[in-house]
Amino acid sequence: MPIRSGLARMQARGELSERADVTALATALPAAIRGGMLLSQVRRSSTAYRHAVSTVIDHIESYVLR
């Protein structure tokens, strides 16, 4: 899975905390995208999509080492 590979490379380079579960994060991102898209279609509003995706991205960013 490309997302998991990218997150694992970030972790190996020391850019992502060792506490980050890259498998879980790589599963959550496409799930949020797909779920957000479905909710947005049903509700006829992009709000659900934006909230779902931004929440997961914020969570991933919380593991980024600065």
Side-chain angles (χ1 to χ4, degrees):
M1 172 181 254
I3 296 170
R4 188 195 178 292
S5 297
L7 291 170
R9 283 193 306 273
M10 288 177 66
Q11 201 171 45
R13 289 191 305 257
E15 299 169 353
L16 196 65
S17 170
E18 288 296 322
R19 296 179 305 113
D21 181 342
V22 296
T23 301
L25 294 173
T27 300
L29 182 57
I33 291 169
R34 291 181 185 119
M37 287 175 60
L38 179 61
L39 286 172
S40 290
Q41 289 172 347
V42 170
R43 295 178 182 172
R44 298 186 186 277
S45 168
S46 63
T47 302
Y49 175 81
R50 287 186 281 111
H51 286 174
V53 173
S54 66
T55 299
V56 172
I57 290 172
D58 288 347
H59 184 63
I60 292 170
E61 286 180 340
S62 74
Y63 289 107
V64 172
L65 300 174
R66 302 186 196 284

